[in-house]
Amino acid sequence: MTVLDTRALNRATLARQLLLDRADVPVLDAVAHLGGLQAQEPQEPFVGLWSRLRAFDPAVLSDLLTGRRVVRTHLMRRTVHLVTADDALAWRSRHDAMLRQRVLGTYRRELDGIDLDELSAAGRAVMADGEPRSMTELARALAERWPTPGRRALGEMLIAALVPVAQLPPRGLWRAKGGVRNVPLASWLGREIDPPSPDGADPVGQALVRRYLAAFGPAASADLRAWCGLAGLPAAVAAIREELVTFRDERGRELLDLPDAPRPDPGTPAPVRFLPAFDNAILGYHDRGRIIDDAHRGLSVTGARVVLVDGRVAATWTVTAGTVVVTPLRPFAGADRAAVAEEGRELASFLSDSDSHRVQIAVAPH
């Protein structure tokens, strides 16, 4: 079986994630291809798409949100994702049990003894009037009937798991600020959520495997699980295994992939790319070694924005007074430093409507 080393996996990831060459595809198609973008920080997906798409116009993504073609909702890993309306409706039921378990993992003691189906029905009844509500407002409406858990636990279970909701604009629009206001997902999108498959088959799980490999492969089953949070996909993998090709990584793990998906030559040059906080190019794997060193792995879960140099995390970045400030994690070669500065200037221009092209690169650690 062919062994793919770390560099080969890195270049495959960059190609699938549209980070090797900026893609010339519509924004909606990019969101679909990526399986959504992690979006608990509302402005971050704009940088993620700017780094992936040629001539990205942030107004287009805002229009897709207000036009209900793209939606913000809790989905993979119980985190807020920006996904297409079609994917939200097709995937939501398959994630229900995982979402419940993830909330219980945090609030098991508070929610002990609560009939979650009964709570779900009550929450849906309150939301049925279509009025946008915050998590706190929904929890307050039910707190008299369920006083024991406390409003935080009640609200988290309702909004993140039991009642499929969409977060309304202006939340998530370009340069807009707005608190989280929720309405039922089906009413916002004008279509019902796809029900679970009645015959015990798992067509959604199989689709998720294919979609994940298209955007993240080659990858192990553990990587797939880390991306979506779903434990019950071995049967889906088994059902489509004959469609797939397999490799091994340097640790001996079996890697699954789609036969015709891009696997570039490991020597392919990789341009500098600036990634937003919580980008799935890093978080979408159990073994993140293909893109970030173990010593820096913690950055990916603390919300640090990172810079890829030669395809790997080599710096963090922030914006201060219109200046993109880059903090290297290791010394840069001269050509790399120049490339980071140039891409940083482009990012500063994007974030400021061309008012600023300022970039500052801090002193690298020795």
Side-chain angles (χ1 to χ4, degrees):
M1 191 179 294
T2 303
V3 174
L4 299 178
D5 64 17
T6 298
R7 191 175 175 90
L9 292 175
N10 174 268
R11 292 312 193 251
T13 289
L14 297 179
R16 313 289 174 93
Q17 284 287 305
L18 314 181
L19 293 168
L20 203 54
D21 294 298
R22 280 188 166 93
D24 191 13
V25 300
V27 174
L28 184 67
D29 292 354
V31 174
H33 167 75
L34 295 166
L37 294 97
Q38 190 155 327
Q40 68 263 47
E41 297 292 340
Q43 294 297 303
E44 299 301 302
F46 291 94
V47 173
L49 289 170
W50 174 81
S51 286
R52 289 169 163 94
L53 299 181
R54 200 167 289 126
F56 170 63
D57 180 356
V60 173
L61 181 57
S62 289
D63 288 347
L64 288 170
L65 276 160
T66 56
R68 310 187 191 197
R69 307 282 304 285
V70 164
V71 64
R72 292 171 51 85
T73 189
H74 286 89
L75 206 59
M76 286 77 77
R77 307 188 298 280
R78 193 173 75 90
T79 51
V80 176
H81 274 71
L82 192 72
V83 294
T84 67
D86 289 344
D87 285 345
L89 295 170
W91 294 355
R92 183 50 168 82
S93 292
R94 186 62 180 82
H95 287 73
D96 281 353
M98 178 274 293
L99 294 170
R100 288 187 180 203
Q101 288 304 313
R102 291 265 173 143
V103 179
L104 285 175
T106 304
Y107 297 108
R108 190 172 302 278
R109 181 176 54 80
E110 291 88 340
L111 295 167
D112 184 49
I114 302 291
D115 184 321
L116 295 183
D117 291 336
E118 188 180 340
L119 179 62
S120 173
R124 290 167 192 249
V126 171
M127 297 294 286
D129 61 7
E131 284 297 312
R133 287 179 175 82
S134 68
M135 184 177 76
T136 301
E137 288 167 342
L138 178 57
R140 187 185 301 134
L142 297 172
E144 188 172 323
R145 186 169 167 187
W146 284 280
T148 307
R151 291 181 185 175
R152 181 74 191 186
L154 210 58
E156 288 269 2
M157 179 55 84
L158 286 161
I159 291 297
L162 298 182
V163 184
V165 294
Q167 295 186 359
L168 294 193
R171 185 75 170 178
L173 301 184
W174 178 236
R175 294 192 179 138
K177 291 188 177 178
V180 178
R181 310 288 293 172
N182 305 284
V183 295
L185 184 64
S187 65
W188 176 247
L189 297 180
R191 286 179 283 158
E192 290 302 315
I193 293 168
D194 292 355
S197 180
D199 59 1
D202 189 12
V204 176
Q206 294 169 27
L208 284 168
V209 175
R210 296 186 188 97
R211 295 280 296 277
Y212 174 75
L213 293 176
F216 294 89
S221 294
D223 297 318
L224 168 66
R225 187 166 60 247
W227 168 69
C228 63
L230 300 173
L233 289 178
V237 170
I240 67 167
R241 183 172 277 275
E242 289 187 0
E243 300 175 20
L244 307 178
V245 292
T246 56
F247 304 93
R248 294 212 179 272
D249 65 12
E250 293 173 299
R251 293 165 46 196
R253 297 191 314 160
E254 182 186 58
L255 305 176
L256 307 169
D257 206 6
L258 303 174
D260 298 325
R263 289 179 290 275
D265 186 289
T268 304
V272 168
R273 291 289 185 256
F274 283 70
L275 296 187
F278 307 114
D279 196 283
N280 274 339
I282 299 174
L283 293 187
Y285 299 95
H286 177 260
D287 180 0
R288 298 172 187 164
R290 67 179 68 194
I291 199 167
I292 187 169
D293 295 345
D294 282 348
H296 306 310
R297 181 183 171 108
L299 294 172
S300 61
V301 294
T302 58
R305 300 159 166 158
V306 299
V307 184
L308 302 184
V309 177
D310 192 27
R312 298 190 63 79
V313 173
T316 61
W317 67 275
T318 57
V319 179
T320 303
T323 300
V324 172
V325 180
V326 177
T327 303
L329 299 170
R330 56 168 174 77
F332 290 158
D336 289 340
R337 185 181 180 87
V340 169
E342 177 58 31
E343 188 74 356
R345 283 190 286 272
E346 294 293 328
L347 176 60
S349 176
F350 168 72
L351 293 173
S352 68
D353 281 340
S354 301
D355 285 346
S356 168
H357 294 81
R358 296 188 301 275
V359 61
Q360 174 186 326
I361 302 179
V363 176
H366 292 291

